Amino acid sequence: TTFEQSGLGPGQEYEVKLEVVKNNKRGPPASKNIVTMIDAPSQVDVRDVTDTTALVTWFQPVAHVDRVSVSFGPSLNPADRSVVELSSADTQYHLAGLSPDTQYEVSLTAKMEEQHSIPVYDSFLTGKTPGIFFLHSFYSQF
């Protein structure tokens, strides 16, 4: 038999008690403390994207967390990802050293000790490299 309780808060500790009732008599209670999963950062947004940089912003999770992990890399090359661990107080991170005209994926995961939230994802396309123009000067002396 299972029971699902809704309305619990993320990252909260609850005591679960179970009592067996048979012939209107209660057996000894069994109890266990459980902690609900922590939630991920919300409203993730990638903005101010250039050919080599981008700014990732988010809202903090509801649960008390001690850090946020930001992972990013080219969408077509999952092995080429960078991971940065940030304080739980941080709500933005500036990505630099990106390649122009490349689709990137960024994921954020909230962490509390050994607990991890389910990651949230966003993707963005960096701009093309600005054009290079040559200016030719002609000097002629007669």
Side-chain angles (χ1 to χ4, degrees), residues 41-46 56-59 106 108 120-122:
S42 61
Q43 299 189 28
V44 176
D45 187 31
V46 180
V56 183
T57 63
W58 62 89
F59 287 159
V106 61
L108 281 81
V120 289
Y121 295 89
D122 200 359

Side-chain angles (χ1 to χ4, degrees), residues 5-18:
Q5 176 67 50
S6 62
L8 303 178
Q12 299 295 310
E13 184 173 6
Y14 295 92
E15 181 181 24
V16 178
K17 285 186 180 181
L18 178 67

